[in-house]
Amino acid sequence: MKLIAAMSGGVDSAVAAARAVEAGHDVIGVHLALAANPQKYRSGARGCCTIEDSHDARRAADVIGIPFYIWDMAEEFHDGVVEDFLAEYAAGRTPNPCLRCNEKIKFAAVLDRARSMGFDGVVTGHYARTQISESGKTLHRAVDHSKDQSYVLSVLTIEQIAGAIFPLGVTTKVDIRKEAEARGLAVAQKPDSHDICFVPSGDNAGWLRDRLGSETGPIVDQDGKKIGEHKGAYTYTIGQRKGLGLTVPTADGSPRFVLKIEPVTNTVVVGAREELAITTMKGERPVWCGPKVTDKEQEGFVQIRAHGAALACTYYFDGQLLVAKLAEPLFGLATGQAMVIYDGDRVVGSATICQTQ
Amino acid sequence: MPSIYVDHAATTPMSPAAFKAISTQMQVLGNPSSLHTHGRSTRKSVEDAREAIAKQVSCLPSEVIFTASGTEANNIALKGLYWQGRAQGKNVVVISAIEHHAILDPAQWLKDHEGAELITVDVTADGVIDLVALKNVIEQRGSEIAVISVMHANNETGTLQPVSEVVAMAGQIPVHTDAVQSFKKTPLSFSQLGVYAMTLSAHKVGGPLGIGALILKRAVEIPALLHGGGQEREIRSGTLNAPSIVAFAAAAQDEYPSTQVIELRNQFIDRVKELFPDVIINGNNVDRLPGIVNVTFPGTQSDTLLLLLDKANVSASTGSACSAGVHEASHVLLAMGHTQQSAQSSLRFSFGSTSTLEDLNFILSVLPDVIARGRAANIK
């Protein structure tokens, strides 16, 4: 096949590209420039967005022996990922920008462009697997569960999965580093990227405050009684306990947790841990990575964070919303996060959490 | 598979004469600044080369200052002439809007770090400096101008600039010209142009990478950028790169097949227009270098086209700068009136002494598919 390998400058995408070449594919390496001015989104190395990272990617491509280009996706990234991230927080939800990037950039803008140019698909260094089954190509967890990235890929449609190649899903990270070393790739021991690539310091709350302002507002208890003040409601997360700065203790001395963020009134509601417990979650805008989910309840697992646990559940689609009922209550779930349904290791689909109860 | 090179404006294949010269000289021991037998021997080779290059551009041998690149020569000239002028109370630097980054960026640096006033003169839609605008600047600000720098031919479009007219207008004001693209491709005489300073580079004419020259008028003493052993009129210290210098001279003495290159270029333009009637050939209506063709393919992105051409074994370029690997819209095309979008839909094909009709036929055979895919993949 003729493939575009998305190369971030990290060890994973470099080995993925090398494996694709070795498998006999005709590969071209592409580094995505996600900020027109690389300094705009970072000051320290976050692992994928710096000029040094694009040099690392170019060097890896040279060592592998494939052509290398840089594609300017700054506008698409800003509009589709960064703006979305800000808008979601401003609306009191907790978005996952990596997921949006996969949905709108890597497997949309890049894959579309690649296909128009006559390529068959996109190779990335994601830890996930695909399998050909009766219903087509399906998406599965990586063998290395600690590195599994199927969660952030769960927004891919069947059509997008068909054009995605994940050569690393069958290997552990430790072995990928060894392999990179053996292949003479200088990025073999480069540290993993963490956090959000466009937040330079890793200080998410500070970054949001700079862009969304820090309008103070009340922290109230469940009866609506003001017991403190906050500096920007969106810097709080549902379930958060630390850093609330409350001086009025509860009657029994038990700790308080963030229960709700109300962006319209700029209010943060706090209360007891039990209040956080939910047993049902509903998600909008579902994407099916395989056969469509029906209104028939099925058993499976739901995951709500990139590296969170798979929670046993029953799930169904009511025609509008994807619904998951948990076997055990869950404490602290923010809307805006993705709920990803698994059937064993297979990704069934995902939706954006809009209701919990 | 063929491997087609149409990027001679970026660099050229080394000429056999230059290759022979550099290989031979690399085996010769001696620092040209040393007074002993070994040094003298190398010095003689360097000075022979200096005379040969001087002859090619009609200047005095002592006016040739060897540098490590055209960029370095431009920096020495622009900064040096500015500082010389500033010492006499002149603070204005005048350049054209289409200069190479090796002039644009030092000019901007002089503005940002040395307090210079930078005046950029526009160009016409054909990419030629607007002489009326320049005349106005000189009439109004002449006594304040430290240096004027106008390139001899543009590296992206190949358009020739009226440097003689600029010099005539400038009167006593020092004029520098970046003649990196023009050298050997079009008549170039330092003495006839009457400029103070002129930049040359070896690798654009079949010489090695990493060697250039600043031709600087005799008796003009400007502050140096590199201080040290006092070589090259104390304007450019550093041990002379004898192997590269003799190879530069060897390449400079090769004949450039102008007629053949012009014929190829014209045929290319005609046939591209036949294939794609909506293309724009930039700078096509004025005098220009033999080998450079700059084409706008509406509805495409140049980086996509370059990838697809490369995949089809054709090495071309946009000719414009990259910022962290991302192609910027060419400041040259923008200055000529292009929009961001159309500027980013443009490619430079530059033919040279080794280009053949077979090369041209091959490019034209792959171009329709490349442009069709490029249009389909246009996401902007």
Side-chain angles (χ1 to χ4, degrees):
Chain A
M1 285 195 286
K2 286 166 72 177
L3 302 173
I4 293 287
M7 299 179 74
S8 66
V11 59
D12 295 328
S13 54
V15 173
R19 285 188 173 187
V21 171
E22 210 164 71
H25 300 300
D26 181 0
V27 181
I28 285 184
V30 165
H31 178 79
L32 305 178
L34 300 180
N37 166 13
Q39 301 299 333
K40 190 168 157 190
Y41 290 135
R42 63 100 198 182
S43 56
R46 310 299 302 171
C48 65
C49 304
T50 66
I51 293 174
E52 296 82 353
D53 292 319
S54 77
H55 287 179
D56 286 346
R58 182 186 299 276
R59 176 68 185 141
D62 286 344
V63 170
I64 297 163
I66 56 174
F68 176 83
Y69 290 89
I70 296 178
W71 283 1
D72 181 7
M73 292 275 169
E75 235 177 270
E76 291 80 0
F77 186 75
H78 183 81
D79 295 350
V81 180
V82 181
E83 287 291 337
D84 173 84
F85 183 76
L86 283 169
E88 285 292 290
Y89 265 109
R93 293 187 288 263
T94 305
N96 183 321
C98 302
L99 203 123
R100 286 287 95 80
C101 181
N102 285 326
E103 180 190 19
K104 295 183 175 171
I105 309 294
K106 288 184 186 147
F107 298 97
V110 175
L111 182 59
D112 288 350
R113 191 172 176 189
R115 282 176 165 157
S116 306
M117 290 167 77
F119 291 86
D120 302 302
V122 172
V123 179
T124 70
H126 284 111
Y127 285 82
R129 286 177 299 140
T130 56
Q131 278 179 15
I132 306 293
S133 69
E134 286 169 15
S135 55
K137 202 169 167 189
T138 49
L139 179 64
H140 299 257
R141 283 192 195 278
V143 168
D144 185 346
H145 276 211
S146 69
K147 283 286 163 191
D148 173 51
Q149 289 174 303
S150 58
Y151 178 88
V152 290
L153 294 167
S154 64
V155 280
L156 303 191
T157 62
I158 294 170
E159 177 69 2
Q160 289 169 320
I161 294 167
I165 316 279
F166 306 123
L168 306 193
V170 293
T171 317
T172 64
K173 177 83 182 203
V174 177
D175 287 340
I176 291 298
R177 287 201 184 278
K178 283 183 196 155
E179 183 177 330
E181 199 84 63
R183 288 180 184 276
L185 296 168
V187 289
Q189 296 308 327
K190 188 171 172 176
D192 287 358
S193 57
H194 288 294
D195 306 324
I196 298 166
C197 70
F198 54 85
V199 177
S201 55
D203 173 15
N204 202 7
W207 192 87
L208 287 168
R209 252 197 307 276
D210 287 348
R211 282 154 186 85
L212 297 175
S214 48
E215 196 194 335
T216 56
I219 299 179
V220 302
D221 65 16
Q222 279 172 286
D223 302 325
K225 194 176 133 213
K226 184 178 167 183
I227 51 171
E229 200 161 73
H230 66 74
K231 291 177 185 169
Y234 42 78
T235 60
Y236 294 84
T237 310
I238 305 290
Q240 179 177 339
R241 175 184 165 186
K242 289 181 180 161
L244 298 178
L246 298 175
T247 49
V248 185
T250 51
D252 60 357
S254 61
R256 291 191 182 93
F257 298 80
V258 173
L259 301 182
K260 225 190 308 180
I261 295 156
E262 295 173 344
V264 178
T265 56
N266 194 27
T267 302
V268 172
V269 184
V270 297
R273 182 167 186 269
E274 305 84 74
E275 302 297 331
L276 284 169
I278 62 117
T279 51
T280 303
M281 65 184 87
K282 295 183 179 183
E284 58 191 359
R285 300 193 306 272
V287 177
W288 312 121
C289 303
K292 271 190 181 172
V293 172
T294 64
D295 58 2
K296 190 172 147 252
E297 274 195 32
Q298 296 187 65
E299 298 209 339
F301 298 89
V302 63
Q303 188 174 323
I304 51 149
R305 288 190 192 91
H307 295 287
L311 312 166
C313 71
T314 58
Y315 63 89
Y316 63 93
F317 180 56
D318 71 4
Q320 286 281 317
L321 302 176
L322 173 62
V323 183
K325 292 181 177 170
L326 297 168
E328 300 279 339
L330 174 71
F331 295 87
L333 176 60
T335 55
Q337 288 175 227
M339 56 185 283
V340 179
I341 304 288
Y342 289 84
D343 172 12
D345 269 354
R346 180 176 75 82
V347 181
V348 173
S350 72
T352 306
I353 298 169
C354 60
Q355 289 174 37
T356 58
Q357 59 202 44
Chain B
M1 276 303 276
S3 171
I4 310 296
Y5 187 80
V6 267
D7 203 12
H8 287 81
T11 195
T12 54
M14 201 188 284
S15 85
F19 183 70
K20 186 167 172 244
I22 198 169
S23 318
T24 308
Q25 189 63 39
M26 276 183 147
Q27 297 173 62
V28 178
L29 172 64
N31 183 328
S33 298
S34 301
L35 300 177
H36 48 56
T37 309
H38 288 90
R40 280 200 305 278
S41 159
T42 306
R43 169 146 294 261
K44 178 172 185 307
S45 302
V46 166
E47 295 309 321
D48 287 348
R50 195 189 300 279
E51 285 172 14
I53 289 167
K55 200 171 163 195
Q56 290 296 319
V57 292
S58 308
C59 71
L60 298 170
S62 60
E63 291 175 325
V64 177
I65 294 172
F66 288 113
T67 63
S69 63
T71 296
E72 189 194 344
N74 278 344
N75 272 264
I76 295 173
L78 198 74
K79 292 173 183 172
L81 289 169
Y82 166 73
W83 284 322
Q84 189 201 46
R86 193 172 65 178
Q88 301 158 20
K90 300 172 183 195
N91 195 44
V92 176
V93 172
V94 178
I95 62 170
S96 84
I98 58 166
E99 294 302 306
H100 189 277
H101 273 279
I103 282 293
L104 283 186
D105 291 16
Q108 187 62 39
W109 183 87
L110 286 172
K111 182 183 171 194
D112 295 343
H113 296 273
E114 297 292 285
E117 183 184 345
L118 177 59
I119 296 178
T120 305
V121 180
D122 285 340
V123 296
T124 65
D126 287 318
V128 178
I129 187 167
D130 182 344
L131 286 175
V132 177
L134 178 67
K135 193 162 177 247
N136 285 337
V137 170
I138 293 172
E139 276 173 6
Q140 286 164 23
R141 309 292 302 273
S143 63
E144 301 166 69
I145 300 172
V147 54
I148 299 173
S149 183
V150 175
M151 68 200 327
H152 196 271
N154 183 265
N155 53 301
E156 293 185 34
T157 61
T159 54
L160 292 173
Q161 303 299 315
V163 177
S164 291
E165 280 97 319
V166 171
V167 172
M169 273 181 197
Q172 296 304 307
I173 304 166
V175 176
H176 163 257
T177 189
D178 175 350
V180 163
Q181 291 294 342
S182 290
F183 186 37
K184 298 298 292 179
K185 321 279 168 64
T186 190
L188 184 68
S189 163
F190 183 75
S191 55
Q192 274 179 25
L193 280 176
V195 291
Y196 266 60
M198 182 167 88
T199 295
L200 305 178
S201 173
H203 74 101
K204 309 286 190 189
V205 298
L209 297 161
I211 187 77
L214 177 67
I215 314 300
L216 182 67
K217 234 182 193 175
R218 212 166 75 109
V220 172
E221 297 305 332
I222 55 174
L225 296 183
L226 297 184
H227 302 87
Q231 292 89 343
E232 303 299 88
R233 286 163 61 183
E234 295 198 354
I235 287 169
R236 204 279 182 183
S237 286
T239 301
L240 286 163
N241 180 353
S244 294
I245 288 168
V246 299
F248 184 5
Q253 293 172 83
D254 282 345
E255 279 300 312
Y256 181 78
S258 285
T259 318
Q260 175 193 318
V261 178
I262 289 171
E263 163 56 27
L264 274 181
R265 176 198 68 191
N266 290 348
Q267 200 183 133
F268 182 74
I269 292 174
D270 291 345
R271 289 170 65 185
V272 165
K273 279 178 165 171
E274 259 173 53
L275 284 172
F276 315 99
D278 61 342
V279 296
I280 301 161
I281 309 291
N282 297 299
N284 198 29
N285 304 316
V286 290
D287 288 341
R288 59 203 194 280
L289 294 176
I292 296 180
V293 186
N294 192 301
V295 195
T296 302
F297 295 99
T300 66
Q301 277 175 268
S302 44
D303 56 351
T304 304
L305 300 184
L306 289 179
L307 188 157
L308 292 168
L309 279 172
D310 188 12
K311 196 128 184 53
N313 301 307
V314 175
S315 297
S317 166
T318 61
S320 59
C322 289
S323 166
V326 173
H327 281 290
E328 290 172 359
S330 151
H331 68 279
V332 175
L333 297 180
L334 291 176
M336 290 166 69
H338 273 276
T339 62
Q340 286 278 337
Q341 202 172 28
S342 65
Q344 285 187 307
S345 311
S346 305
L347 291 186
R348 178 186 72 186
F349 298 89
S350 50
F351 298 92
S353 58
T354 54
S355 300
T356 64
L357 187 59
E358 287 72 43
D359 292 353
L360 187 149
N361 287 335
F362 184 83
I363 298 165
L364 291 163
S365 75
V366 301
L367 210 47
D369 184 54
V370 165
I371 300 300
R373 285 181 193 276
R375 285 190 171 142
N378 187 8
I379 56 168
K380 299 287 175 188

